[in-house]
């Protein structure tokens, strides 16, 4: 049982770290870089990123992180000797689920609207699309970055309890 607890905790930590790092990279490099670009470039680049990110590797980490954290939580909760990990694991899971809620309620609808806007060939259309998308998407991504970092920190802390 100890091996299962440790393996799922390590896997959850890695998956959470990958997603936290992805959101962080968008916060500190991708979006600030695109902020310096034309409206057309930002819209077209984000449309391409949104299409490219829907792949098995991303889905594996994005959905694997909360699933593995939940399994780890159950495995720790069923052993009286490891119950000190329940609170950090539960909070890590809650923070990650909050990230998923933000993604589902804000980022995905904005991504879908960006896609439905079509080609950013016309300057006025690209500008309107950008102004509708950029600020709320960045604000939501900042929250996703913070929440997944909290989740990652708590999972890492839980590793120290072993």
């Amino acid at each position: 049982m100890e091996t299962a607890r440790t393996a799922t905790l390590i896997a959850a930590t890695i998956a959470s770290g990958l997603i936290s790092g992805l959101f962080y990279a968008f916060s500190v490099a991708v979006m600030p870089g695109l902020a310096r670009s034309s409206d057309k470039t930002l819209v077209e680049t984000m449309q391409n990123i949104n299409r490219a990110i829907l792949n098995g590797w991303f889905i594996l980490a994005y959905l694997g992180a909360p699933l593995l954290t939940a399994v780890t939580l159950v495995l720790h909760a069923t052993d009286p000797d490891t119950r000190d990990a329940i609170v950090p694991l539960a909070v890590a899971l809650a923070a990650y689920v909050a990230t998923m809620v933000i993604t589902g309620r804000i980022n995905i609808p904005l991504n879908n609207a960006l896609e439905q806007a079509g080609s950013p060939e016309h300057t006025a259309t690209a500008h309107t699309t950008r102004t509708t998308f950029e600020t709320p998407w960045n604000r939501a991504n900042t929250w996703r970055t913070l929440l997944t970092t909290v989740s990652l920190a708590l999972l890492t802390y839980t590793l120290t309890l072993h």
Side-chain angles (χ1 to χ4, degrees), residues 21-91:
L22 174 70
F23 293 155
Y24 179 74
F26 268 89
S27 290
V28 303
V30 174
M31 296 311 286
L34 287 174
R36 298 177 179 156
S37 301
S38 70
D39 296 338
K40 178 185 180 295
T41 299
L42 181 137
V43 171
E44 185 176 46
T45 301
M46 285 305 296
Q47 286 174 335
N48 288 329
I49 288 171
N50 290 335
R51 289 179 202 125
I53 203 165
L54 297 176
N55 65 71
W57 292 110
F58 170 74
I59 299 299
L60 182 65
Y62 183 74
L63 297 178
L67 177 63
L68 289 161
T69 302
V71 169
T72 303
L73 176 59
V74 169
L75 291 173
H76 280 80
T78 57
D79 185 343
D81 294 333
T82 61
R83 293 218 173 131
D84 55 339
I86 292 173
V87 171
L89 287 171
V91 176

Side-chain angles (χ1 to χ4, degrees), residues 8 11-13 33 54 82 103 105 108 134 146 151:
T8 57
T13 304
L54 297 176
T82 61
T103 300
R105 298 190 123 208
I108 290 174
E134 189 175 20
L146 292 170
S151 183

